[in-house]
Amino acid sequence: MPKGYWIARVDVRDAEGYKDYVAAAKLAFDRFDVKFLARGGEHEKAEGPGRARNVIIEFPSLADAHDCYHSPEYQRAVAIRQKVADGEIVLVEGI
């Protein structure tokens, strides 16, 4: 079965508030056996506007990626993140 991925691009507006998001999201990530492949760090904007923070998270499957995003634990984290950051997340099936 192909793995699933979240690709998140984020501009954090409130670094202190973002810490609350990270703590809340951890509850969902612990539940869904995720592996962080990229989490912030150095990056190069090769095309397009880009964002300051880029994250790639691996899940056992696309269904797990979907279920994690829509889980009550992660939706609580989303409510926090949307107050302190701007960005987008796409869920992608691996090959």
Side-chain angles (χ1 to χ4, degrees):
M1 174 184 318
K3 296 196 183 255
Y5 299 89
W6 285 13
I7 301 171
R9 301 171 352 118
V10 180
D11 286 329
V12 176
R13 289 182 272 109
D14 174 354
E16 284 302 310
Y18 197 77
K19 291 176 185 178
D20 295 335
Y21 159 73
V22 171
K26 185 179 184 317
L27 298 173
F29 296 152
D30 287 348
R31 181 175 158 210
F32 284 91
D33 191 30
V34 306
K35 179 179 180 183
F36 284 87
L37 302 179
R39 192 175 197 177
E42 293 293 322
H43 67 280
E44 175 184 340
K45 293 185 244 178
E47 288 187 35
R51 296 255 185 206
R53 183 170 177 80
N54 300 282
V55 180
I56 302 171
I57 306 172
E58 181 180 85
F59 291 81
S61 69
L62 182 58
D64 287 323
H66 174 273
D67 291 348
C68 182
Y69 183 83
H70 294 283
S71 70
E73 297 91 343
Y74 191 71
Q75 288 304 301
R76 283 190 286 279
V78 167
I80 297 167
R81 179 178 41 80
Q82 290 177 343
K83 292 177 185 172
V84 299
D86 300 309
E88 49 276 330
I89 298 174
V90 295
L91 283 56
V92 180
E93 184 177 55
I95 53 173

